[in-house]
Amino acid sequence: MATPPKTSTPAKKRGLPVELVLNNILLLALIVLIAYFAANSSAFLTVPNFKVLLTNYAAIGVVAAVMALLMIAGHADFSVGSNIGFSGMMTALAMAEWGASPISGVLVGILSGAFVGLINGILCAYLRFSAIIVTLGMLSVLRGVTLLIKPVEVVGLGDVFFYIGNGSFMGLPILLWVVGAVFLLASVFLSTTVWGRYVLAIGINQQAAFLAALPVRPLLLGLHVATGAAAGLAGMLLASRLDGASPGSLGLQMELQAVTIVLLGGVAFAGGRGRIFGVLTAWVFLAVLDNGLTLMNVPPFVQLVASGMALVFAASLDALGNNLGPKLEQRRRVQEQLRQSQA
């Protein structure tokens, strides 16, 4: 008697996949937020307003896109706020007092930030100091150094340099071209290059990556330098947008904004998990939240409360991802084994 062939049993549907909901919960929240502000303010859902709200957040978006790579690798940089102020001031001094051309001013800003990232990288990647402690110390050092170099504001950086922060190209503000390019490069690096896979591997288990002969220390050093260069670029962009730099206030508390965006975007603080698209969504989310509350004439202290709640929400998403991530991965492996046994 012939044995009937085995037939695979179709999987039972149990509603929306948990992983799909977890990865897109912020996108759903963003859609709800946009709908709410559009219903309560006629000026919100317009193209000029969206240009303004994204342009205002362009500098911090540049930093968040690159710092996400560093945090996926398991490190963090809390000095980016003061690095923005330091680099912006160096750019302003180069333009207003040293007679530098606009191109030279741009290079001074980026290289100043990259130099700070190089120091952080040597201390954290090669000397193996705690990245949190080193960069928190650098946060204070850089603000003090900036005030020592120039304790007063520097203004009047020239029309050409001013155009970088306030001009347009093909109908879009130059700042949006810059932040879009940085997000695109970060996404391509993480998802299509072997170095991006190394970043994820180092974030999951740095010791195992080292034993597997991956370039752990050079890659961490490079990520710290890239994050510093991004902070330098952000400082230069802010200096060009404001046509000057203030040593005490430029970049103040922007390190908290950057960390909030990265965590809110689904990047694990311990490393090993994260998507650039999630960080991009979080960047737009915070920009929409800030702009919408302003249009509704919400007092500034309430906006501060909203920003703090966003950080707490980001921390809860981080904890939720850490709890559910391993369980979802285990379930995926079990389902894969079941499919292979039934094939």
Side-chain angles (χ1 to χ4, degrees):
M1 182 177 179
T3 303
K6 291 183 179 180
T7 56
S8 60
T9 305
K12 295 180 180 179
K13 294 184 178 179
R14 298 179 180 177
L16 286 175
V18 178
E19 192 170 4
L20 179 65
V21 174
L22 187 64
N23 288 335
N24 296 283
I25 187 170
L26 187 64
L27 185 60
L28 296 174
L30 175 61
I31 294 172
V32 172
L33 198 65
I34 290 176
Y36 175 78
F37 287 138
N40 288 277
S41 173
S42 59
F44 177 76
L45 204 59
T46 60
V47 173
N49 185 54
F50 265 78
K51 283 185 180 179
V52 169
L53 72 90
L54 293 179
T55 302
N56 287 341
Y57 263 68
I60 194 61
V62 168
V63 177
V66 181
M67 198 164 79
L69 301 175
L70 181 64
M71 291 183 66
I72 290 174
H75 280 214
D77 187 347
F78 289 97
S79 67
V80 290
S82 293
N83 197 356
I84 289 171
F86 172 72
S87 304
M89 177 54 71
M90 296 301 291
T91 303
L93 287 174
M95 297 292 300
E97 299 189 4
W98 303 342
S101 65
I103 294 178
S104 299
V106 171
L107 291 177
V108 166
I110 296 175
L111 292 178
S112 298
F115 178 70
V116 175
L118 178 64
I119 296 175
N120 288 337
I122 292 174
L123 293 175
C124 300
Y126 282 90
L127 300 183
R128 306 190 68 176
F129 292 171
S130 167
I132 295 176
I133 296 174
V134 166
T135 55
L136 280 176
M138 188 64 75
L139 179 74
S140 300
V141 169
L142 279 179
R143 187 63 67 183
V145 167
T146 307
L147 288 165
L148 285 173
I149 292 175
K150 193 71 175 180
V152 297
E153 291 183 357
V154 177
V155 296
L157 308 183
D159 294 338
V160 176
F161 191 71
F162 182 76
Y163 183 78
I164 297 175
N166 299 275
S168 298
F169 177 70
M170 296 178 64
L172 279 179
I174 294 175
L175 291 181
L176 293 188
W177 284 105
V178 174
V179 71
V182 174
F183 268 112
L184 180 62
L185 288 175
S187 178
V188 169
F189 174 82
L190 184 64
S191 59
T192 67
T193 68
V194 65
W195 294 96
R197 291 194 289 274
Y198 288 170
V199 168
L200 286 166
I202 293 171
I204 292 172
N205 191 324
Q206 183 173 330
Q207 185 63 26
F210 182 78
L211 293 175
L214 299 187
V216 176
R217 290 174 181 173
L219 188 52
L220 287 175
L221 175 65
L223 291 174
H224 273 286
V225 172
T227 304
L233 177 60
M236 182 277 297
L237 293 175
L238 285 177
S240 65
R241 183 162 176 78
L242 301 172
D243 195 26
S246 173
S249 60
L250 189 66
L252 195 64
Q253 295 189 343
M254 290 184 77
E255 65 279 352
L256 285 180
Q257 283 183 310
V259 171
T260 301
I261 291 171
V262 174
L263 292 180
L264 201 60
V267 174
F269 188 74
R273 174 170 54 82
R275 300 179 306 155
I276 298 300
F277 178 74
V279 179
L280 176 65
T281 306
W283 172 64
V284 177
F285 181 87
L286 284 189
V288 166
L289 179 65
D290 184 56
N291 179 265
L293 292 177
T294 302
L295 288 177
M296 293 176 64
N297 295 320
V298 175
F301 59 86
V302 177
Q303 296 184 28
L304 194 61
V305 172
S307 299
M309 290 179 66
L311 181 57
V312 174
F313 182 55
S316 67
L317 284 181
D318 182 51
L320 184 65
N322 288 334
N323 290 330
L324 287 181
K327 295 178 182 177
L328 292 173
E329 178 63 20
Q330 184 178 10
R331 190 179 71 172
R332 186 189 65 78
R333 291 180 179 177
V334 170
Q335 290 176 341
E336 186 176 350
Q337 291 175 354
L338 286 175
R339 282 196 297 270
Q340 291 176 353
S341 63
Q342 292 172 354

